[in-house]
Amino acid sequence: MTELLLHTADELHKLPRTGRRAVVMTMGALHEGHATLVRTARDLAGPEGQVVVTVFVNPLQFGAGEDLDRYPRTLDADVAVAAEAGADAVFAPAVEEVYPGGDPQVRITAGPMGERLEGATRPGHFDGMLTVVAKLLHLTRPDLALFGQKDAQQLALIRRMVTDLNFPVEVVGVPTVREEDGLALSSRNRYLSPADRQTALALSRALFAGRDRLAAQAALRARAEAAPASDERASALARLGEIRASADAHAVSAACTGLPDAVRAAAAHVLADAARSEPPLVLDYLALVDPQDFTEAGPDFTGRAVLAVAAKVGTTRLIDNIPLEFGAHS
């Protein structure tokens, strides 16, 4: 499989090219989530196309005190995973190949969207990420570039950069891959002790609780639209002693507003419980955002949204998110 491995741009540019080229960018330590990206790329490129996987641990997107030095580097295993999933080549350049003049003086700036959530916690992270993605897009010259939806803010910023700067590439988002217990696949999961992992499961449980609350509230709202219920009707039922019917009428009425707040509250409840676990979950943020700019969704928000969470368990920081759809109010 060593014939798949390329280290320089010259080697990559000499690679015979037919059909469409799809690229999957990684920092190595490939797992099933990455393999899913590669298989999707293979399907989209087709039998006549070409799939290139990049493996590059980008120093620009690691801040002071972050885990650049201990980030896992498993190139031989990565080449095997990529080949098994259908890659035609693995491009694993040295830092000097990507940044031949040292730290680049000119970089991509992520702008206001890059300062929110992950950007607020990790200043400069998204500038470094976009800079290397731009460079790798130039070096690999793909028709398609695939990224995982687990890094939702990263995906949104890459899409924005490609649109704003007229990159001739189609960006494809691939759904998050989870382990059987719900934990989103991540290269950092290997750092979790068994106790850490039990606490870390609260991230996905919180997201699923928010999703389930949305589904329940949406069902109540559908009932409200079919048979409108008002606070006046609920109060009248209470005076008649119909307590259960009164409570139901109040719930149906309340379901017409405040869905984003209800979703956030359901997720926050799970995370608050996990903060009392041993080891505790230390929450960084829980946010329900508009995926166009990652601003918080207001109480009357409609359309697509992302429920995102980041937290530290022990020494390991994890992120996760799920997409949600908020229907229009009647």
Side-chain angles (χ1 to χ4, degrees):
M1 288 181 289
T2 55
E3 65 272 13
L4 295 178
L5 185 58
L6 309 174
H7 291 289
T8 69
D10 285 343
E11 290 175 322
L12 182 61
H13 295 160
K14 290 175 183 175
L15 192 67
R17 180 170 179 170
T18 59
R20 297 201 300 172
R21 175 179 285 178
V23 66
V24 174
M25 297 184 190
T26 82
M27 292 207 300
L30 268 57
H31 49 63
E32 180 58 26
H34 297 110
T36 298
L37 285 167
V38 177
R39 287 193 292 268
T40 305
R42 179 80 273 160
D43 290 343
L44 293 175
E48 302 302 320
Q50 188 178 79
V51 175
V52 175
V53 175
T54 69
V55 175
F56 181 67
V57 181
N58 177 34
L60 295 190
Q61 64 196 74
F62 287 82
E66 292 189 332
D67 55 357
L68 173 61
D69 290 337
R70 74 165 186 154
Y71 197 87
R73 290 162 171 83
T74 56
L75 185 56
D76 290 344
D78 294 341
V79 173
V81 171
E84 177 67 23
D88 297 297
V90 174
F91 178 49
V95 172
E96 295 76 19
E97 181 74 17
V98 177
Y99 303 119
D103 282 356
Q105 298 299 300
V106 177
R107 308 186 185 195
I108 302 292
T109 299
M113 185 163 66
E115 298 171 357
R116 300 175 184 131
L117 299 191
E118 284 297 292
T121 300
R122 307 173 68 189
H125 166 72
F126 285 126
D127 292 355
M129 179 276 295
L130 289 178
T131 298
V132 79
V133 168
K135 294 207 71 166
L136 289 172
L137 286 174
H138 287 312
L139 290 170
T140 59
R141 304 171 185 172
D143 301 289
L144 306 167
L146 290 82
F147 299 90
Q149 291 179 359
K150 186 178 82 71
D151 298 295
Q153 193 171 5
Q154 170 180 284
L155 174 59
L157 282 161
I158 291 170
R159 281 179 165 150
R160 193 60 189 248
M161 178 184 73
V162 164
T163 297
D164 288 352
L165 301 184
N166 300 102
F167 279 77
V169 63
E170 178 185 349
V171 176
V172 178
V174 178
T176 300
V177 178
R178 299 184 180 278
E179 300 191 42
E180 288 187 7
D181 57 11
L183 188 68
L185 282 174
S186 169
S187 301
R188 291 189 169 99
N189 289 355
R190 68 185 67 196
Y191 301 142
L192 297 170
S193 70
D196 290 342
R197 187 183 179 91
Q198 286 303 308
T199 297
L201 292 176
L203 273 72
S204 56
R205 286 203 305 268
L207 298 178
F208 299 155
R211 178 196 62 193
D212 293 346
R213 177 63 63 85
L214 174 61
Q217 294 287 100
L220 282 172
R221 190 171 68 194
R223 289 177 55 195
E225 292 169 350
S230 65
D231 287 341
E232 290 79 6
R233 175 173 175 265
S235 297
L237 286 167
R239 288 194 297 271
L240 292 171
E242 298 288 345
I243 303 302
R244 180 173 296 178
S246 170
D248 184 64
H250 274 299
V252 172
S253 180
C256 294
T257 59
L259 285 181
D261 292 339
V263 167
R264 275 186 283 254
H269 179 75
V270 175
L271 296 170
D273 282 346
R276 296 186 288 270
S277 299
E278 184 55 45
L281 181 142
V282 181
L283 183 65
D284 188 344
Y285 62 75
L286 170 68
L288 182 67
V289 297
D290 184 333
Q292 297 299 313
D293 57 10
F294 270 68
T295 55
E296 282 283 347
D300 297 319
F301 180 87
T302 60
R304 292 182 180 177
V306 171
L307 182 61
V309 63
K312 182 173 282 191
V313 181
T315 60
T316 304
R317 185 175 183 274
L318 300 171
I319 63 172
D320 200 354
N321 73 84
I322 56 171
L324 297 174
E325 183 80 28
F326 289 81
H329 292 179
S330 297

